[in-house]
């Protein structure tokens, strides 16, 4: 963490704005917090990254924002803030479509689907989860196909 925080301070080009690289580093910090189970710090870092990215006049790499939105959606789902998770997940999906990229498209559909299921919108959630399976099949990611299929079975069992 110290190395990542130092990396941001070394590359700071402006007192008020972060560059895309600095925002990507901040996203990495958020991911580490999330993996360590510190969801509040992860959420704060994701929100800070999102705030900084919206201040940029032009985004060179839209994948940076997609990564932030996915991480934010995932962290919010883990925090059981499902409505907000859906909101940010859908923003990520919109960006994927806008920029014609499959990058994190399956993961975002999964995240939105899981959160929809958790708030009782099982049909809509199942539709999103099935979309994620189709995307993972296109990507030939059999591991994720299997994981989502298992998750669907668990969710359906929990909500019967």
């Amino acid at each position: 963490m110290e190395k990542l925080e130092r990396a941001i301070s070394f590359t700071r080009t402006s007192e008020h704005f972060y560059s895309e690289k600095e925002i990507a580093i901040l996203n990495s910090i958020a991911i580490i917090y999330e993996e360590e189970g510190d969801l509040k710090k992860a959420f704060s870092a994701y929100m800070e990254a999102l705030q900084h990215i919206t201040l940029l006049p032009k985004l060179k790499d839209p994948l940076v924002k997609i990564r932030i939105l996915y991480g934010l959606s995932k962290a919010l789902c883990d925090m059981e803030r499902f409505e907000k998770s859906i909101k940010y997940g859908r923003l990520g999906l919109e960006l994927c479509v806008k920029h014609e990229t499959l990058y994190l498209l399956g993961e975002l559909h999964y995240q939105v689907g899981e959160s929809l299921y958790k708030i009782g919108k099982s049909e809509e959630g199942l539709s999103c989860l099935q979309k994620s399976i189709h995307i993972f099949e296109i990507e030939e990611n059999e591991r994720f196909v299997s994981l989502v299929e298992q998750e669907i079975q668990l969710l359906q069992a929990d909500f019967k």
Side-chain angles (χ1 to χ4, degrees), residues 41-53:
K41 283 186 180 178
F43 173 76
S44 293
Y46 284 127
M47 288 305 292
E48 184 180 353
L50 188 59
Q51 287 171 331
H52 281 287
I53 210 159

Side-chain angles (χ1 to χ4, degrees), residues 23-146:
I23 293 168
I25 294 169
L26 191 54
N27 187 62
S28 296
I29 290 170
I31 291 168
I32 292 169
Y33 280 135
E34 189 171 0
E35 287 176 354
E36 291 178 346
D38 196 337
L39 298 176
K40 287 182 182 179
K41 283 186 180 178
F43 173 76
S44 293
Y46 284 127
M47 288 305 292
E48 184 180 353
L50 188 59
Q51 287 171 331
H52 281 287
I53 210 159
T54 57
L55 295 174
L56 293 175
K58 186 169 174 25
L59 194 57
K60 294 176 189 168
D61 182 5
L63 302 184
V64 174
K65 189 169 185 179
I66 293 169
R67 273 193 297 274
I68 293 167
L69 291 168
Y70 169 69
L72 188 53
S73 179
K74 186 175 180 309
L76 286 163
C77 184
D78 292 342
M79 296 169 78
E80 298 184 358
R81 294 176 61 189
F82 303 117
E83 297 282 348
K84 290 282 188 186
S85 173
I86 293 165
K87 173 188 170 184
Y88 289 109
R90 285 184 171 157
L91 288 172
L93 288 169
E94 288 174 18
L95 272 180
C96 288
V97 170
K98 178 181 175 184
H99 294 286
E100 300 176 345
T101 181
L102 287 174
Y103 180 72
L104 292 177
L105 186 65
E107 289 86 343
L108 284 160
H109 274 293
Y110 171 81
Q111 205 58 57
V112 170
E114 180 182 19
S115 292
L116 284 165
Y117 237 103
K118 300 283 174 122
I119 62 168
K121 295 185 177 182
S122 55
E123 264 186 56
E124 195 178 350
L126 182 59
S127 174
C128 286
L129 292 170
Q130 288 172 333
K131 285 179 185 178
S132 75
I133 288 172
H134 296 309
I135 294 161
F136 292 137
E137 286 173 340
I138 290 167
E139 294 174 338
E140 298 182 1
N141 188 337
E142 294 305 317
R143 185 173 151 259
F144 277 25
V145 168
S146 177

